[in-house]
Amino acid sequence: MTPLTPESRILVTGASSGIGKAVALLCNQMGATVIANGRDQARLQELKISCEHPELLHIEPRDLLEDMDSLPQWVTDLRKKYGKLCGLVCCAGFAAVIPLRAYDRNAAADIYDIHVHAPLLLTKGFADKRNNMGQGSSIVFLSSAAALAKEAGLAAYGGAKAAVQAATISLSRELAPQGLRINAVAPAMVRTPMSEKYFAMLSPESREQALAAYPLGIGTPEDVAQTITFLLGDASKWVTGQTIVMDGGRY
Ligand SMILES: NC(=O)c1ccc[n+]([C@@H]2O[C@H](COP(=O)([O-])OP(=O)(O)OC[C@H]3O[C@@H](n4cnc5c(N)ncnc54)[C@H](OP(=O)(O)O)[C@@H]3O)[C@@H](O)[C@H]2O)c1
């Protein structure tokens, strides 16, 4: 991606909240055109009103778990509507702690669908030569420190996030001949509505313990957004297939 201009069109999923919202706001502030996806129309509308350049932020509500097979075609439709894309950031997701005794194939399928299949199908659409700007275009996936954390209940969520890292490595080889890069970020706890739900389930003592495990404190969505814009931009043009762990010294 060349320096951000309105011609730098970036599709951001999960843009209605948390990390995706911070990425959408930062890219918009830097002068890029952002295509912001989420399910909640009202929150996407609020995002458009609150961003620095509303004329450069387009909202595209869609439930990524519905009609998933059409996701590559959806990217083509977005290209026809807005022009070729140079960035894809896949932030849509939800956390799930499922102990083995409660493991259920349907619940696990949703976790893999949103965290693995949706990003891969969007990448398939993005990688179509007609849909991206070629050399310099960049994809960023959201993995998680949960992929490697020795914590109970993460078999499905952590497994999906580990799959994201493995896919990033393999896809970097497939996409490099086109000049496309792909990387992932793997944050530990970031203060977003997702982690607030998790904290709300903990006793005050456990909450304090959880926070104390972070020498640099827990992350903010803006911390992660800064790394993602680095991975989108030319400053990282020799970086592909990598997962950047961001954990405030936790692990
Ligand atoms: N927060 C953390 O501590 C943390 C740590 C490591 C990794 N992550 C990863 O970072 C990503 C973002 O997490 P977050 O903390 O920013 O979560 P969040 O604040 O809860 O936001 C989740 C976003 O995903 C969207 N989304 C969920 N299901 C969707 C679906 N079926 N179709 C379309 N959009 C959907 C939501 O859209 P609507 O609200 O509009 O439905 C929302 O915009 C996730 O992949 C998460 O696993 C988060």
Side-chain angles (χ1 to χ4, degrees), residues 150-171:
K150 287 180 184 153
E151 284 169 30
L154 293 179
Y157 179 76
K161 291 305 195 182
V164 167
Q165 296 190 20
T168 300
I169 293 168
S170 172
L171 289 175

Side-chain angles (χ1 to χ4, degrees), residues 8-83:
S8 317
R9 295 176 203 91
I10 303 166
L11 172 58
V12 181
T13 73
S16 57
S17 178
I19 295 169
K21 181 177 176 182
V23 171
L25 286 171
L26 184 56
C27 290
N28 174 268
Q29 188 188 43
M30 292 166 84
T33 293
V34 172
I35 303 163
N37 163 256
R39 290 170 300 188
D40 189 318
Q41 289 234 28
R43 279 198 277 121
L44 287 171
Q45 202 58 50
E46 273 170 35
L47 172 75
K48 185 170 171 70
I49 291 165
S50 64
C51 71
E52 206 167 303
H53 307 291
E55 71 286 2
L56 294 180
L57 192 136
H58 307 288
I59 64 172
E60 286 289 341
R62 173 178 178 142
D63 186 332
L64 298 176
L65 291 180
E66 278 178 13
D67 191 14
M68 294 191 76
D69 290 334
S70 74
L71 286 175
Q73 180 59 41
W74 182 58
V75 177
T76 299
D77 295 342
L78 294 176
R79 183 262 299 166
K80 286 180 183 161
K81 195 167 166 185
Y82 300 109

